[in-house]
Amino acid sequence: MNDTEPTLLVVDDDDDFAQMMSLALKSAGYAVIRGRDGDEAIQLVGAVRPALLICDVNMPRLDGFTVCRRLRDTGNTVPIILMTTRDNDVDEALGLDLGADDYLSKPFRQRVLVARIEALLRRERMRAVDATPAAVIHDLLSVDPLRLEVRYRGERVDLTVTEFRLIEGFVKRPEHVL
């Protein structure tokens, strides 16, 4: 676990179940915020930006399927675990088709939930690292896409953005004719 606790948003209209799950997740090292319905889930995801959303499917007003669909329709990529007492393939497939990252049927073991959370958060961390472009060094030339900067023999070369992109393309594919 990191030095900072990832914040999880747990949304379930069953207070006893949500309380029990929150305690288990806190003891596993997570910060937990609770919501009670789908409207609150969407609002909290926007305001808090949790590392992961755990959402019940069967809730009044706005169900978990609708929460998932609305978040994905707006481009929100927060990892989502849907949970429900419904235990059938159709609902599980629907939840995953709507953009959920995982689906659990109640009751489930807390250890399994924590393991699935860890797997999703690990995947998110790896995705974030892969999305960060690293500087490309080729012989005496260094190209840094984060700074849009080219250095030759340590000296900065002034370029337009178009010139930078051309050099970046050449350096990333040194064995290709472009």
Side-chain angles (χ1 to χ4, degrees), residues 62-80:
L62 210 63
D63 66 18
F65 291 140
T66 304
V67 168
C68 187
R69 187 182 72 244
R70 286 191 183 171
L71 289 172
R72 296 307 187 230
D73 286 348
T74 61
N76 193 304
T77 60
V78 63
I80 300 172

Side-chain angles (χ1 to χ4, degrees), residues 86-107:
R86 302 178 190 179
D87 186 16
N88 67 56
D89 294 346
V90 173
D91 285 337
E92 185 173 349
L94 175 62
L96 296 170
D97 285 345
L98 290 172
D101 297 282
D102 205 345
Y103 191 97
L104 285 170
S105 295
K106 293 179 184 177

Side-chain angles (χ1 to χ4, degrees), residues 51-145:
L52 187 132
L53 167 63
I54 304 164
C55 186
D56 187 29
V57 169
N58 302 316
M59 293 185 294
R61 296 196 312 227
L62 210 63
D63 66 18
F65 291 140
T66 304
V67 168
C68 187
R69 187 182 72 244
R70 286 191 183 171
L71 289 172
R72 296 307 187 230
D73 286 348
T74 61
N76 193 304
T77 60
V78 63
I80 300 172
I81 297 176
L82 290 178
M83 57 184 177
T84 185
T85 55
R86 302 178 190 179
D87 186 16
N88 67 56
D89 294 346
V90 173
D91 285 337
E92 185 173 349
L94 175 62
L96 296 170
D97 285 345
L98 290 172
D101 297 282
D102 205 345
Y103 191 97
L104 285 170
S105 295
K106 293 179 184 177
F108 49 81
R109 293 180 308 280
Q110 298 298 328
R111 278 183 128 168
V112 171
L113 174 63
V114 170
R116 289 179 183 216
I117 290 168
E118 282 294 318
L120 285 170
L121 293 178
R122 185 172 47 251
R123 188 178 323 142
E124 284 300 304
R125 285 190 298 270
M126 289 170 47
R127 191 175 301 149
V129 168
D130 289 344
T132 305
V136 177
I137 300 171
H138 184 71
D139 292 332
L140 301 174
L141 190 67
S142 169
V143 179
D144 188 343

